[in-house]
Amino acid sequence: AMCAAQSLEDEMIIALIFVHLIPTRSEYQEESEWWDAYDLFEAKQLELTFGNLLKSLERSKSIPESFISKLKAAKSIRDILAHSFFRDHAEKMFSESGHSSMLDYCDQAIDRFQELDDELEALMKPAFEAHGLSDEMVNEAVARFIDEASARE
């Protein structure tokens, strides 16, 4: 479940890159300056918590408030998983039905995070396309990443 939450965080970072950074690309004379700015921006975003990424998206006014509300609900689920889930369900770990209910909660969280990840990507698709990022390019990059990761094993 935390993997799915982190994937959603990554999608939030990508959205912030396209909202705040990509539009400034023409301000950089040198390609290396652009990539330095990109690396710095991305590094700063990676240091932020889910909540602070959410605040940045909310302040950007580029995401509908209705979706921001969904992210806020997801943040609550993510916080439970990160901070209190096992403590809150400690007794359930010792019975099969309790263990199953914990897994059900995690499965539902995974589904919710993945739904929001997909929805955010769809919301950002016009910005991606406006800046030349096509589905084909994304699919090729994912395939390369998988191939490279597999080769390292």
Side-chain angles (χ1 to χ4, degrees):
M2 288 304 291
C3 179
Q6 288 177 7
S7 179
L8 177 56
E9 287 179 8
D10 288 343
E11 193 68 40
M12 293 165 72
I13 291 169
I14 292 167
L16 289 166
I17 288 169
F18 273 84
V19 167
H20 293 298
L21 185 65
I22 299 293
T24 70
R25 185 171 171 98
S26 63
E27 297 172 16
Y28 297 90
Q29 302 296 323
E30 300 292 327
E31 187 79 8
S32 63
E33 291 175 348
W34 159 249
W35 286 110
D36 288 345
Y38 180 95
D39 290 342
L40 180 62
F41 186 87
E42 182 184 42
K44 286 181 180 180
Q45 303 314 300
L46 288 168
E47 291 176 1
L48 297 178
T49 62
F50 190 108
N52 285 323
L53 290 168
L54 175 55
K55 287 177 189 174
S56 292
L57 278 175
E58 187 171 21
R59 281 191 303 264
S60 77
K61 303 289 186 200
S62 59
I63 303 294
E65 185 57 42
S66 59
F67 187 73
I68 295 294
S69 296
K70 293 176 184 181
L71 288 175
K72 287 178 181 178
K75 179 190 177 302
S76 295
I77 295 167
R78 181 248 173 239
D79 288 351
I80 289 167
L81 290 167
H83 302 294
S84 65
F85 181 74
F86 289 100
R87 183 178 57 247
D88 292 347
H89 298 282
E91 292 178 5
K92 291 181 180 179
M93 287 190 287
F94 300 104
S95 73
E96 190 172 325
S97 64
H99 193 249
S100 291
S101 74
M102 290 172 70
L103 290 173
D104 288 344
Y105 182 92
C106 290
D107 287 341
Q108 290 172 13
I110 290 167
D111 291 344
R112 187 64 182 138
F113 293 139
Q114 288 176 338
E115 288 168 7
L116 293 173
D117 193 310
D118 293 343
E119 190 173 345
L120 181 54
E121 185 175 336
L123 285 169
M124 293 303 300
K125 189 170 184 168
F128 298 160
E129 290 174 346
H131 294 287
L133 184 63
S134 67
D135 289 340
E136 182 179 315
M137 292 168 69
V138 171
N139 293 337
E140 288 172 6
V142 169
R144 259 191 327 275
F145 175 80
I146 291 170
D147 289 345
E148 290 169 7
S150 296
R152 284 192 291 271
E153 286 185 4

Coordinates of all heavy atoms in Angstrom, one line a residue, residues 41-101:
F41 N 15.1 21.3 -8.9 CA 13.6 21.3 -8.6 C 13.1 19.9 -8.2 O 12.4 19.8 -7.2 CB 12.8 21.8 -9.9 CG 11.4 22.0 -9.6 CD1 10.9 23.2 -9.1 CD2 10.5 21.0 -9.9 CE1 9.5 23.3 -8.9 CE2 9.1 21.1 -9.7 CZ 8.6 22.3 -9.2
E42 N 13.5 18.9 -9.0 CA 13.1 17.6 -8.6 C 13.6 17.1 -7.3 O 12.8 16.6 -6.5 CB 13.6 16.6 -9.7 CG 13.1 15.2 -9.4 CD 13.6 14.2 -10.4 OE1 14.8 14.2 -10.8 OE2 12.9 13.3 -10.8
A43 N 14.8 17.4 -7.0 CA 15.4 17.1 -5.7 C 14.6 17.7 -4.5 O 14.3 17.1 -3.5 CB 16.9 17.5 -5.6
K44 N 14.2 19.0 -4.7 CA 13.5 19.7 -3.7 C 12.1 19.0 -3.5 O 11.6 18.9 -2.4 CB 13.3 21.2 -4.0 CG 14.6 21.9 -3.8 CD 14.4 23.4 -4.1 CE 15.7 24.2 -3.9 NZ 15.5 25.6 -4.2
Q45 N 11.5 18.6 -4.6 CA 10.1 18.0 -4.5 C 10.2 16.7 -3.9 O 9.3 16.3 -3.1 CB 9.5 17.9 -5.9 CG 9.4 19.2 -6.7 CD 8.8 20.3 -5.9 OE1 7.7 20.3 -5.4 NE2 9.6 21.4 -5.8
L46 N 11.3 15.9 -4.1 CA 11.4 14.6 -3.5 C 11.6 14.6 -2.0 O 11.4 13.7 -1.3 CB 12.6 13.8 -4.2 CG 12.4 13.4 -5.6 CD1 13.7 12.9 -6.3 CD2 11.4 12.2 -5.7
E47 N 12.1 15.8 -1.5 CA 12.2 15.9 -0.1 C 10.9 16.2 0.6 O 10.8 16.1 1.8 CB 13.2 17.1 0.2 CG 14.6 16.7 -0.2 CD 15.6 17.9 0.0 OE1 15.1 19.0 0.5 OE2 16.8 17.8 -0.3
L48 N 9.9 16.6 -0.1 CA 8.6 17.0 0.5 C 7.8 15.8 0.9 O 7.8 14.8 0.2 CB 7.8 17.9 -0.5 CG 8.4 19.2 -0.9 CD1 7.5 19.9 -1.9 CD2 8.6 20.1 0.3
T49 N 7.0 16.0 1.9 CA 6.0 15.0 2.3 C 4.8 15.0 1.4 O 4.6 16.0 0.6 CB 5.6 15.2 3.8 OG1 4.9 16.5 3.8 CG2 6.7 15.2 4.7
F50 N 4.0 14.0 1.5 CA 2.8 13.9 0.7 C 2.0 15.2 1.0 O 1.5 15.8 0.0 CB 2.0 12.7 1.2 CG 0.8 12.4 0.3 CD1 0.8 11.3 -0.6 CD2 -0.4 13.1 0.3 CE1 -0.3 11.0 -1.4 CE2 -1.5 12.8 -0.5 CZ -1.4 11.8 -1.3
G51 N 1.8 15.6 2.2 CA 1.1 16.8 2.6 C 1.6 18.0 2.0 O 0.8 18.9 1.5
N52 N 2.9 18.2 2.0 CA 3.5 19.4 1.4 C 3.4 19.4 -0.1 O 3.2 20.4 -0.8 CB 4.9 19.6 1.9 CG 5.0 20.1 3.3 OD1 4.1 20.9 3.7 ND2 5.9 19.6 4.1
L53 N 3.5 18.2 -0.8 CA 3.3 18.1 -2.2 C 1.8 18.5 -2.5 O 1.6 19.3 -3.5 CB 3.5 16.7 -2.7 CG 5.0 16.3 -2.7 CD1 5.1 14.7 -3.0 CD2 5.8 17.0 -3.8
L54 N 0.9 18.1 -1.7 CA -0.5 18.4 -1.8 C -0.7 19.9 -1.7 O -1.4 20.5 -2.5 CB -1.3 17.6 -0.8 CG -2.8 17.9 -0.7 CD1 -3.5 17.7 -2.1 CD2 -3.4 17.0 0.3
K55 N -0.1 20.5 -0.7 CA -0.2 22.0 -0.6 C 0.3 22.7 -1.8 O -0.3 23.7 -2.2 CB 0.5 22.4 0.7 CG -0.1 22.1 2.0 CD 0.7 22.5 3.2 CE 0.1 21.9 4.5 NZ 1.0 22.2 5.6
S56 N 1.4 22.2 -2.3 CA 2.0 22.9 -3.5 C 1.1 22.8 -4.7 O 0.9 23.7 -5.5 CB 3.4 22.2 -3.9 OG 4.3 22.5 -2.9
L57 N 0.5 21.6 -4.9 CA -0.5 21.4 -6.0 C -1.7 22.3 -5.8 O -2.2 22.9 -6.7 CB -1.0 20.0 -6.1 CG -0.1 19.0 -6.8 CD1 -0.6 17.6 -6.8 CD2 0.1 19.4 -8.3
E58 N -2.2 22.4 -4.5 CA -3.4 23.2 -4.2 C -3.1 24.7 -4.5 O -3.9 25.4 -5.1 CB -3.8 23.0 -2.8 CG -5.1 23.7 -2.4 CD -5.5 23.2 -1.0 OE1 -4.7 22.8 -0.2 OE2 -6.7 23.4 -0.8
R59 N -1.9 25.2 -4.1 CA -1.5 26.6 -4.3 C -1.4 26.9 -5.8 O -1.5 28.0 -6.2 CB -0.2 26.9 -3.6 CG -0.4 27.2 -2.1 CD 0.9 27.7 -1.5 NE 2.0 26.9 -1.7 CZ 2.5 26.0 -0.8 NH1 1.9 25.9 0.4 NH2 3.6 25.3 -1.1
S60 N -1.0 25.9 -6.6 CA -0.8 26.1 -8.0 C -2.1 26.4 -8.8 O -2.0 27.0 -9.9 CB -0.1 24.9 -8.7 OG -1.1 23.8 -8.9
K61 N -3.2 26.1 -8.2 CA -4.5 26.3 -8.8 C -4.6 25.6 -10.2 O -5.5 26.0 -11.0 CB -4.8 27.8 -9.0 CG -4.7 28.6 -7.7 CD -5.9 28.3 -6.8 CE -5.9 29.2 -5.6 NZ -6.6 28.7 -4.5
S62 N -3.8 24.7 -10.5 CA -3.8 24.0 -11.8 C -4.6 22.7 -11.7 O -4.9 22.1 -12.7 CB -2.4 23.7 -12.2 OG -1.7 22.9 -11.3
I63 N -5.0 22.3 -10.5 CA -5.7 21.0 -10.3 C -7.1 21.4 -9.7 O -7.2 22.2 -8.8 CB -5.0 20.1 -9.3 CG1 -3.5 19.8 -9.8 CG2 -5.7 18.9 -9.0 CD1 -3.5 19.0 -11.1
P64 N -8.2 20.8 -10.2 CA -9.5 21.2 -9.7 C -9.6 20.9 -8.2 O -9.0 19.9 -7.7 CB -10.4 20.3 -10.5 CG -9.7 19.8 -11.7 CD -8.2 19.9 -11.3
E65 N -10.3 21.7 -7.5 CA -10.5 21.6 -6.1 C -11.1 20.2 -5.7 O -10.8 19.6 -4.7 CB -11.4 22.7 -5.5 CG -11.5 22.7 -4.0 CD -10.2 22.7 -3.3 OE1 -9.3 23.5 -3.6 OE2 -10.1 22.0 -2.2
S66 N -12.0 19.7 -6.6 CA -12.6 18.4 -6.3 C -11.6 17.3 -6.3 O -11.7 16.4 -5.5 CB -13.7 18.1 -7.4 OG -13.1 18.1 -8.7
F67 N -10.5 17.4 -7.1 CA -9.5 16.4 -7.1 C -8.6 16.7 -5.9 O -8.1 15.7 -5.2 CB -8.7 16.4 -8.4 CG -7.7 15.3 -8.4 CD1 -8.1 14.0 -8.6 CD2 -6.3 15.5 -8.2 CE1 -7.2 12.9 -8.6 CE2 -5.4 14.4 -8.2 CZ -5.9 13.1 -8.4
I68 N -8.3 17.9 -5.5 CA -7.5 18.2 -4.3 C -8.2 17.6 -3.1 O -7.5 17.0 -2.2 CB -7.4 19.7 -4.1 CG1 -6.5 20.3 -5.3 CG2 -6.8 20.1 -2.8 CD1 -5.1 19.9 -5.4
S69 N -9.5 17.6 -3.0 CA -10.2 17.0 -1.9 C -10.0 15.5 -1.9 O -9.9 14.9 -0.8 CB -11.7 17.3 -2.0 OG -12.0 18.7 -1.9
K70 N -10.0 14.9 -3.0 CA -9.7 13.4 -3.1 C -8.3 13.1 -2.6 O -8.0 12.1 -1.9 CB -9.8 12.9 -4.5 CG -11.3 12.9 -5.0 CD -11.3 12.5 -6.5 CE -12.7 12.6 -7.1 NZ -12.7 12.1 -8.5
L71 N -7.3 14.0 -3.0 CA -5.9 13.8 -2.5 C -5.8 14.0 -1.0 O -5.1 13.3 -0.3 CB -5.0 14.8 -3.2 CG -4.7 14.5 -4.7 CD1 -3.8 15.6 -5.3 CD2 -4.0 13.2 -4.8
K72 N -6.6 14.9 -0.5 CA -6.6 15.1 1.0 C -7.1 13.9 1.7 O -6.6 13.5 2.7 CB -7.5 16.3 1.4 CG -6.8 17.6 1.0 CD -7.7 18.8 1.4 CE -7.0 20.1 1.0 NZ -7.8 21.3 1.2
A73 N -8.2 13.2 1.2 CA -8.7 12.0 1.7 C -7.6 10.9 1.6 O -7.4 10.1 2.6 CB -10.0 11.6 1.0
A74 N -6.9 10.9 0.5 CA -5.8 9.9 0.3 C -4.7 10.1 1.3 O -4.1 9.2 1.8 CB -5.3 9.9 -1.1
K75 N -4.4 11.4 1.6 CA -3.4 11.7 2.6 C -3.7 11.1 3.9 O -2.9 10.6 4.6 CB -3.2 13.2 2.7 CG -2.1 13.6 3.7 CD -2.1 15.1 4.0 CE -1.1 15.5 5.1 NZ -1.3 14.8 6.3
S76 N -5.0 11.2 4.3 CA -5.4 10.6 5.6 C -5.1 9.1 5.6 O -4.7 8.6 6.6 CB -6.9 10.9 5.8 OG -7.1 12.3 6.0
I77 N -5.5 8.4 4.5 CA -5.2 7.0 4.4 C -3.7 6.7 4.5 O -3.3 5.8 5.2 CB -5.8 6.4 3.1 CG1 -7.3 6.5 3.2 CG2 -5.4 4.9 3.0 CD1 -8.0 6.3 1.8
R78 N -2.9 7.5 3.8 CA -1.5 7.3 3.7 C -0.9 7.5 5.1 O 0.0 6.8 5.6 CB -0.9 8.3 2.7 CG 0.6 8.2 2.6 CD 1.2 9.5 3.2 NE 2.6 9.3 3.2 CZ 3.3 9.4 4.4 NH1 2.7 9.6 5.5 NH2 4.6 9.3 4.4
D79 N -1.4 8.5 5.8 CA -0.9 8.8 7.2 C -1.2 7.7 8.2 O -0.4 7.4 9.0 CB -1.5 10.2 7.7 CG -0.9 11.4 7.0 OD1 0.1 11.2 6.2 OD2 -1.4 12.5 7.2
I80 N -2.4 7.1 8.0 CA -2.7 6.0 8.9 C -1.8 4.8 8.6 O -1.2 4.2 9.5 CB -4.2 5.5 8.6 CG1 -5.2 6.5 9.2 CG2 -4.5 4.1 9.2 CD1 -6.6 6.4 8.8
L81 N -1.5 4.5 7.3 CA -0.6 3.4 7.0 C 0.8 3.7 7.5 O 1.5 2.8 8.0 CB -0.6 3.2 5.5 CG -1.9 2.6 4.9 CD1 -1.9 2.8 3.4 CD2 -2.0 1.2 5.3
A82 N 1.2 4.9 7.4 CA 2.6 5.3 7.8 C 2.8 5.4 9.3 O 3.9 5.1 9.8 CB 3.0 6.6 7.1
H83 N 1.8 5.8 10.0 CA 2.0 6.2 11.4 C 1.3 5.4 12.4 O 1.7 5.3 13.6 CB 1.6 7.7 11.6 CG 2.4 8.6 10.7 ND1 3.8 8.8 10.8 CD2 2.0 9.4 9.7 CE1 4.2 9.6 9.9 NE2 3.1 10.0 9.2
S84 N 0.1 4.7 12.1 CA -0.6 4.1 13.1 C -1.3 2.8 12.8 O -1.9 2.1 13.6 CB -1.7 5.0 13.7 OG -2.7 5.3 12.7
F85 N -1.2 2.4 11.5 CA -1.9 1.2 11.1 C -1.6 0.0 11.9 O -2.6 -0.7 12.4 CB -1.6 0.9 9.6 CG -2.4 -0.3 9.1 CD1 -3.7 -0.2 8.8 CD2 -1.7 -1.5 8.8 CE1 -4.4 -1.3 8.3 CE2 -2.4 -2.6 8.3 CZ -3.8 -2.5 8.0
F86 N -0.4 -0.4 12.1 CA -0.1 -1.6 12.9 C -0.4 -1.5 14.3 O -0.8 -2.4 15.0 CB 1.4 -2.0 12.6 CG 1.6 -2.6 11.2 CD1 2.1 -1.8 10.2 CD2 1.2 -3.8 10.9 CE1 2.3 -2.3 8.9 CE2 1.3 -4.3 9.6 CZ 1.9 -3.5 8.6
R87 N -0.2 -0.3 14.9 CA -0.6 -0.1 16.3 C -2.1 -0.2 16.5 O -2.6 -0.8 17.4 CB 0.0 1.3 16.7 CG -0.3 1.6 18.2 CD 0.3 2.9 18.6 NE -0.2 4.1 17.8 CZ 0.5 4.8 17.0 NH1 1.8 4.5 16.8 NH2 0.0 5.8 16.3
D88 N -2.8 0.4 15.6 CA -4.3 0.4 15.6 C -4.9 -1.0 15.4 O -6.0 -1.2 15.9 CB -4.9 1.4 14.6 CG -4.6 2.8 14.9 OD1 -4.1 3.2 16.0 OD2 -4.8 3.7 14.0
H89 N -4.1 -1.8 14.7 CA -4.7 -3.1 14.4 C -3.8 -4.3 15.0 O -3.9 -5.4 14.5 CB -4.7 -3.3 12.9 CG -5.6 -2.3 12.2 ND1 -6.9 -2.5 12.2 CD2 -5.3 -1.2 11.5 CE1 -7.5 -1.5 11.5 NE2 -6.5 -0.7 11.1
A90 N -3.1 -3.9 16.1 CA -2.2 -4.9 16.7 C -2.9 -6.2 17.0 O -2.3 -7.3 16.8 CB -1.5 -4.3 17.9
E91 N -4.1 -6.2 17.6 CA -4.7 -7.4 18.0 C -5.2 -8.2 16.8 O -5.3 -9.5 16.9 CB -5.9 -7.1 18.9 CG -5.5 -6.5 20.3 CD -6.7 -6.2 21.1 OE1 -7.9 -6.4 20.7 OE2 -6.5 -5.6 22.2
K92 N -5.5 -7.6 15.7 CA -5.9 -8.3 14.5 C -4.9 -9.1 13.9 O -5.2 -10.1 13.2 CB -6.5 -7.3 13.5 CG -7.7 -6.6 13.9 CD -8.2 -5.7 12.8 CE -9.5 -5.0 13.3 NZ -9.9 -4.0 12.2
M93 N -3.6 -8.8 14.2 CA -2.5 -9.6 13.6 C -2.5 -11.1 14.1 O -1.8 -11.9 13.5 CB -1.2 -8.9 13.9 CG -1.0 -7.7 13.1 SD 0.7 -7.0 13.2 CE 0.8 -6.4 14.8
F94 N -3.2 -11.4 15.1 CA -3.1 -12.7 15.8 C -4.2 -13.6 15.4 O -4.3 -14.7 16.0 CB -2.9 -12.5 17.3 CG -1.7 -11.8 17.6 CD1 -1.8 -10.4 18.0 CD2 -0.4 -12.3 17.5 CE1 -0.6 -9.7 18.3 CE2 0.7 -11.6 17.7 CZ 0.6 -10.3 18.2
S95 N -5.1 -13.2 14.5 CA -6.2 -14.1 14.1 C -6.2 -14.0 12.5 O -5.9 -13.0 11.9 CB -7.5 -13.6 14.7 OG -8.0 -12.5 14.0
E96 N -6.7 -15.1 12.0 CA -6.8 -15.2 10.5 C -7.8 -14.1 10.0 O -7.5 -13.4 9.0 CB -7.2 -16.6 10.1 CG -7.1 -16.8 8.6 CD -7.3 -18.2 8.2 OE1 -6.9 -19.1 8.9 OE2 -7.8 -18.4 7.1
S97 N -8.9 -14.0 10.6 CA -9.9 -13.0 10.1 C -9.4 -11.6 10.3 O -9.6 -10.7 9.5 CB -11.2 -13.2 10.8 OG -11.1 -12.9 12.2
G98 N -8.7 -11.3 11.4 CA -8.1 -10.0 11.6 C -7.0 -9.7 10.6 O -7.0 -8.6 10.1
H99 N -6.2 -10.7 10.4 CA -5.2 -10.5 9.4 C -5.8 -10.2 8.0 O -5.3 -9.4 7.3 CB -4.3 -11.8 9.4 CG -3.0 -11.6 8.6 ND1 -2.8 -12.3 7.4 CD2 -1.9 -10.9 8.9 CE1 -1.6 -11.9 7.0 NE2 -1.0 -11.1 7.8
S100 N -6.8 -11.0 7.7 CA -7.5 -10.8 6.4 C -8.1 -9.4 6.3 O -8.0 -8.7 5.2 CB -8.6 -11.8 6.2 OG -8.1 -13.1 6.0
S101 N -8.7 -8.9 7.4 CA -9.3 -7.5 7.4 C -8.2 -6.5 7.2 O -8.4 -5.4 6.5 CB -10.1 -7.2 8.6 OG -9.3 -7.0 9.8

